[in-house]
Amino acid sequence: MSAACSPAFDDRAQDAPEPTDVLASAHARATAAGLPIRCPSGPIEGIQVVAFDLDDTLWSCSATLQHARRRFFDFFRANFPRIADRFTLDDFTQRVMKAMKDHPFVAHDFDTLNRIVTAQLATECGYPPCDVVEPAYAVFCQARNEVEFFPGALEGLARLRDAGFAICAVSNGNARVHRIPAVAHLFTFSVDAAQAGAPKPDAAIFRCLYDKCAAHFGVTSPAQIMVVGDSLHCDVAGAVAAGMRAAWVMAPRVNALDRVAASARGAKYLDQIRKLRLPSPLPVAAVVGGVGELPDLMGAPLPQPEPEPEPEPQTQTQTQTPH
């Protein structure tokens, strides 16, 4: 998900049921809510790369952003107090939302948007932006990557990697997995909206993901990549539209799903999916209550191709011309 995401729900059961029970329960909830998905039974086969969304899939987006923005404003209080005296965290958030409208060409790039707003606040408070923006944003970035993983997420990632799956990230937000010590060694690379020039579910970010998977892992088909995320629209529908497989992590939104079919927001959400012109019901590889359940649903990974040997250097025979 992007950084402008819905709050996570923290009502997961303390005692996790067996994976097959979770799959059946989550799928039943989605069906009861009127969500157009189809989930096959049996292990998920034919996958070489598992690409993870980050916010609200591995950790809570809202909690992480609140933590980062508090640290951000603590920095202002200590170093540029006029900013903290004049503006609040809510003011900053509203400014970012406004900047998304005022600067549509970078609306997907939260690093740039945050820098724009920080420069605005500095200028309005009489500070040179060049003295404020980068030091303040370095504090924000560090805190943005101080995350509290959902139960089972770390174990699920490690089990998938140990089983032989290649792991990468595909996110609309600005978290950086290689700055998170607990998982930096598990992810080969990450793709985000700023790199791709567009957020999920736009085809551009999935093309970028496929190209990097082809370069790093030798995949030859989008269907060898499975995207795992909490957003049925951005992650699941976007991946399916790109020819990839998708697993839906349902737990953070489980309470909302009970009401989604009856709500105006739910109708709009489903309408967004229909605009992608995908088959209905939407084919989903798995519906899980958390990333920790995913390894038990996977078949064997596709073997990664052996790197092609370097070609033998050809010795060029020089033809001597008579003088």
Side-chain angles (χ1 to χ4, degrees):
M1 288 185 67
S2 69
C5 52
S6 303
F9 293 90
D10 296 321
D11 60 338
R12 273 165 284 196
Q14 295 297 314
D15 298 320
E18 291 297 316
T20 52
D21 295 338
V22 171
L23 181 60
S25 174
H27 195 194
R29 276 185 178 271
T31 302
L35 295 173
I37 68 169
R38 171 172 52 83
C39 184
S41 60
I44 304 168
E45 303 284 359
I47 301 299
Q48 182 175 335
V49 182
V50 186
F52 284 90
D53 172 60
L54 300 176
D55 291 321
D56 283 339
T57 295
L58 299 180
W59 55 73
S60 167
C61 176
S62 59
T64 304
L65 284 177
Q66 287 170 11
H67 166 69
R69 286 172 178 166
R70 281 195 298 267
R71 290 273 297 275
F72 200 38
F73 267 70
D74 288 345
F75 175 84
F76 289 147
R77 290 186 189 93
N79 298 278
F80 303 98
R82 292 195 297 272
I83 295 177
D85 291 343
R86 182 171 173 180
F87 297 104
T88 67
L89 284 170
D90 286 342
D91 293 332
F92 187 88
T93 301
Q94 292 302 315
R95 287 287 190 104
V96 171
M97 301 303 289
K98 183 177 185 298
M100 293 176 72
K101 297 178 181 178
D102 294 343
H103 305 277
F105 292 108
V106 293
H108 56 277
D109 185 345
F110 287 99
D111 288 334
T112 297
L113 292 170
N114 286 333
R115 285 185 169 95
I116 288 171
V117 172
T118 304
Q120 291 173 351
L121 303 190
T123 300
E124 292 173 27
C125 292
Y127 296 114
C130 60
D131 292 345
V132 179
V133 173
E134 292 309 318
Y137 202 62
V139 171
F140 177 87
C141 288
Q142 179 177 343
R144 179 69 169 93
N145 294 299
E146 294 170 354
V147 301
E148 183 175 348
F149 287 89
F150 287 141
L154 281 174
E155 294 82 355
L157 290 170
R159 286 180 61 197
L160 287 168
R161 186 64 182 262
D162 290 344
F165 292 98
I167 304 293
C168 61
V170 56
S171 174
N172 283 355
N174 54 359
R176 302 287 185 264
V177 289
H178 290 100
R179 297 184 184 179
I180 303 173
V183 294
H185 63 292
L186 298 175
F187 286 83
T188 302
F189 65 81
S190 61
V191 174
D192 60 41
Q195 294 174 32
K200 297 174 290 184
D202 194 281
I205 192 168
F206 292 101
R207 280 198 301 269
C208 184
L209 172 63
Y210 175 77
D211 289 343
K212 293 192 80 168
C213 286
H216 283 271
F217 310 125
V219 301
T220 56
S221 167
Q224 297 169 356
I225 303 167
M226 185 170 74
V227 175
V228 181
D230 69 293
S231 172
L232 192 63
H233 175 226
C234 294
D235 300 314
V236 176
V240 172
M244 298 175 183
R245 310 282 293 284
W248 185 24
V249 180
M250 191 175 176
R253 298 170 176 271
V254 70
N255 281 353
L257 283 172
D258 292 335
R259 303 185 297 274
V260 70
S263 69
R265 182 179 177 185
K268 181 179 180 181
Y269 188 68
L270 296 181
D271 187 55
Q272 290 176 327
I273 296 173
R274 294 187 187 101
K275 287 180 180 178
L276 293 175
R277 297 182 180 179
L278 296 172
S280 183
L282 191 65
V284 177
V287 181
V288 295
V291 169
E293 300 162 15
L294 199 56
D296 293 318
L297 303 175
M298 303 297 292
L302 288 179
Q304 296 191 30
E306 294 290 332
E308 294 185 7
E310 292 289 330
E312 292 284 337
Q314 294 184 355
T315 304
Q316 293 185 352
T317 304
Q318 295 184 350
T319 304
Q320 295 186 357
T321 56
H323 294 284

